[in-house]
Amino acid sequence: MVKILITSGPTRQYLDPVRYISNASSGRMGAALATAALQLGHEVVIVSGPVPTVYPAGARVISVVTTDDMLAASQEWFTECDGAIGVAAPCDYMPQIVETEKIAKTGEPLTLQLIETPDVVATLGQTKRDDQWVVGFALETNDRRFRATVKLEKKHCDMIISNGPIAMDSDVNDVELLDTAGEVIARVKGTKQKVADVLMTEIDRRLIRKTPATPL
Amino acid sequence: MVKILITSGPTRQYLDPVRYISNASSGRMGAALATAALQLGHEVVIVSGPVPTVYPAGARVISVVTTDDMLAASQEWFTECDGAIGVAAPCDYMPQIVETEKIAKTGEPLTLQLIETPDVVATLGQTKRDDQWVVGFALETNDRRFRATVKLEKKHCDMIISNGPIAMDSDVNDVELLDTAGEVIARVKGTKQKVADVLMTEIDRRLIRKTPATPL
């Protein structure tokens, strides 16, 4: 049994006290992975942005709002975990200035200056100990496999899962699991629980139990 | 018995296939108003943005995503309704350009040009027939009552309800109901269902049954 950190759901980056930038990540894939990990006997800590999804009762859930919050909580909890799965979709841009009062409409266009947020999975990947592993998710609309392998390397992941926008706020998913060499080691399509079960079995075998790999 | 249109929840304005601007409106106040209206024997059509809230079974629910969608659906359904309650928090800004592919991070700041969306309640207010009424909600962080009266007039509402950001994604609310003269005719604080029951009773008495008003 090991302890696994799962980041899940979206984050929010507020423009003012009412409006924010976010995405439709529902936390369902994170919940499904947590369920699969618990069933394999592992301990699970979920760092989650605001979602309507109910996480499995056996998992410890840390609620966050912004990407900075998600990074801080993930770094703190990762120190006592054996590995991390980054399935969250944290906002990667935030407004440079956050207004303290609701921006009033003027009839004129509004120019918003956005800056990049810190990369949660990349930070975990770059700072992981030799005995820790990190699995990332890459959500891309085009050049999916190529962009996933770029992210895999840049974020120092031990595996990366490539999926498309179909994953967002959906009950189903369609993914490819890539190893550090960028080779596709599994393809799964179906309900998020089915996909999570297969992915977690692969993570368990290859990264936790370190069973030698067999070609697909 | 009359037929009431309720707009509810947030809308989303996408920057690209993944990221959007939105707000934390949960649809709970809309659901509570629908419940109160159904209990008074009225028919209810809800035009709602994406929310996790379950609306009462007796209401007809039209699901929309963007503010343009919400306006189009509301205008279509309003023609066969006696009145409308605009409790939705539609995005009032949208990106001037919506990218068809996910915007890739470059390490550089991103400038986003936002333009105003059409105003759903104002459009209903301006185009209502003499036998129709419109009730708006104003969510402001400061100068609440003043800004509510400005909105009341600008949007041609028959009543406006002023509330603050406490209303967002919460089980409770704290509101003032203002008549066309800008006079406070009710103040209610408590669960959203309690607030909705009082507001719906006032709407029923003053706008539907047209019982002469009594001073507060």
Side-chain angles (χ1 to χ4, degrees), chain A residues 22 107 110 112 114 116 142, chain B residues 20 22 101 107 110 112 114 116:
Chain A
S22 192
L110 182 69
L112 205 62
L114 303 177
E116 290 188 5
N142 57 328
Chain B
Y20 57 71
S22 192
E101 289 178 8
L110 183 69
L112 205 62
L114 303 177
E116 290 187 6

Side-chain angles (χ1 to χ4, degrees), chain A residues 18-24 52 92-93 101-102 105-107 109-114 116 139 141-142 168, chain B residues 18-24 52 92-93 101-102 105-107 109-114 116 139 141-142 168:
Chain A
V18 175
R19 304 169 179 102
Y20 57 72
I21 299 175
S22 192
N23 59 68
D92 38 19
Y93 285 102
E101 288 177 10
K102 189 181 172 192
K105 285 165 74 177
T106 59
L110 182 69
T111 304
L112 205 62
Q113 197 70 15
L114 303 177
E116 290 188 5
L139 189 147
T141 49
N142 57 328
M168 282 285 189
Chain B
V18 176
R19 304 169 179 103
Y20 57 71
I21 299 175
S22 192
N23 60 66
D92 38 18
Y93 285 102
E101 289 178 8
K102 188 181 171 192
K105 285 165 76 177
T106 59
L110 183 69
T111 303
L112 205 62
Q113 198 70 14
L114 303 177
E116 290 187 6
L139 189 146
T141 48
N142 56 328
M168 282 284 192

Side-chain angles (χ1 to χ4, degrees), chain B residues 4-25:
Chain B
I4 302 171
L5 171 69
I6 299 177
T7 70
S8 180
T11 61
R12 291 177 184 171
Q13 300 296 156
Y14 278 85
L15 280 56
D16 66 22
V18 176
R19 304 169 179 103
Y20 57 71
I21 299 175
S22 192
N23 60 66
S25 171

Side-chain angles (χ1 to χ4, degrees), chain A residues 53-91:
Chain A
T53 300
V54 177
Y55 290 110
R60 174 157 195 165
V61 180
I62 315 296
S63 297
V64 297
V65 176
T66 68
T67 301
D68 277 327
D69 295 346
M70 182 171 276
L71 177 62
S74 298
Q75 285 189 292
E76 187 188 332
W77 284 92
F78 192 47
T79 57
E80 56 184 80
C81 287
D82 300 273
I85 306 174
V87 62
C91 286

